[in-house]
Amino acid sequence: MKSEVILRMTNVTKTFPGVKALDNVHLEVKKGTVHGLMGENGAGKSTMMKILIGIFQPDSGEIEFKGQPLTVKSTRDAMDAGISMIHQELSPIPDMSVAENIFLGREPVKYGMVNEKELYRMTEELLKELHINIDPHKKMHELSTAYIQLVEIAKAVSYDADLVIMDEPTAAITDKEVGQLFEIIRDLTSKGVAIIYITHKLDEVF
């Protein structure tokens, strides 16, 4: 039985001044699968994904997600539709805690105030589920680059997305954490989540 196609991008074109980054590109991704996206620098991989999550607007082309036409004008539109992305460029808020970074803008509220007890409980539960051993109270500036990357991964998973885009997710992590990441990917795909995995590393794809 064929897996259901969750994402279909058709005839996507994007031009920047002097550069045609994408020229009538097609992409199909199936539910519960990992789709490796490879190519040299400048091939347009990240541009394609930034169109999918609303950072760039395409010059032309169509996006269909979960069987419905999708117009993505902002990252909020993408998240609301069920698409999240782990970016290659890490951008934590250094003086905020791990929990505050993960649930920024989505904090649990009680009596009009952030419910800190619930915020840290949710974060502990999420990190435990992902087998990520980080204290949710720690400030981001106290973490190594590898742990910041793991927090970014946890944040992307926390949206309960149907599609998670991972842009060079192992660039800053050690072999041990790569193993953790692959366990997270296996767990997500077993729940029907689709993964787009952008990398230069052939061994990771296999």
Side-chain angles (χ1 to χ4, degrees):
M1 187 177 162
K2 279 191 173 179
S3 297
E4 174 191 340
V5 172
I6 191 170
L7 171 71
R8 188 176 277 115
M9 299 177 78
T10 311
N11 296 325
V12 177
T13 297
K14 179 67 179 176
T15 305
F16 296 105
V19 180
K20 196 162 204 175
L22 299 169
D23 188 7
N24 283 315
V25 177
H26 300 268
L27 176 67
E28 276 191 8
V29 178
K30 292 178 180 176
K31 186 177 178 180
T33 63
V34 183
H35 191 109
L37 192 56
M38 301 193 75
E40 57 194 49
N41 286 334
K45 305 181 300 295
S46 293
T47 301
M48 186 82 164
M49 295 303 99
K50 284 176 178 175
I51 284 171
L52 181 54
I53 63 160
I55 292 173
F56 296 150
Q57 295 302 309
D59 301 333
S60 60
E62 293 171 355
I63 302 172
E64 194 180 283
F65 189 62
K66 294 191 283 190
Q68 300 294 322
L70 179 66
T71 302
V72 191
K73 296 289 185 189
S74 67
T75 53
R76 172 55 59 193
D77 287 347
M79 286 172 190
D80 289 346
I83 301 168
S84 68
M85 181 168 179
I86 301 162
H87 294 272
Q88 192 175 356
E89 310 84 21
L90 300 176
S91 53
I93 300 170
D95 294 325
M96 280 187 160
S97 70
V98 167
E100 289 166 331
N101 267 266
I102 289 175
F103 289 102
L104 185 65
R106 302 176 293 140
E107 301 90 347
V109 174
K110 191 175 183 180
Y111 308 126
M113 306 276 286
V114 172
N115 183 345
E116 295 217 350
K117 187 178 176 184
E118 179 63 8
L119 172 67
Y120 286 100
R121 187 202 65 75
M122 285 164 56
T123 308
E124 275 177 18
E125 198 174 278
L126 173 69
L127 295 173
K128 187 178 175 183
E129 188 184 320
L130 299 176
H131 307 290
I132 296 173
N133 187 22
I134 301 175
D135 178 357
H137 293 85
K138 267 205 164 181
K139 302 289 187 201
M140 295 298 286
H141 67 74
E142 297 177 78
L143 301 180
S144 67
T145 306
Y147 276 107
I148 292 170
Q149 180 70 283
L150 289 175
V151 171
E152 287 292 315
I153 290 164
K155 183 176 182 177
V157 171
S158 75
Y159 287 100
D160 289 328
D162 299 294
L163 172 67
V164 179
I165 303 157
M166 301 187 174
D167 191 359
E168 303 280 355
T170 64
I173 60 179
T174 67
D175 287 348
K176 181 189 169 195
E177 287 132 5
V178 171
Q180 266 181 286
L181 172 63
F182 290 167
E183 285 300 319
I184 292 167
I185 289 172
R186 286 186 197 104
D187 184 51
L188 290 172
T189 54
S190 73
K191 294 172 182 169
V193 177
I195 309 283
I196 296 177
Y197 192 95
I198 303 172
T199 184
H200 287 99
K201 301 173 184 175
L202 267 173
D203 56 331
E204 285 183 9
V205 171
F206 292 121

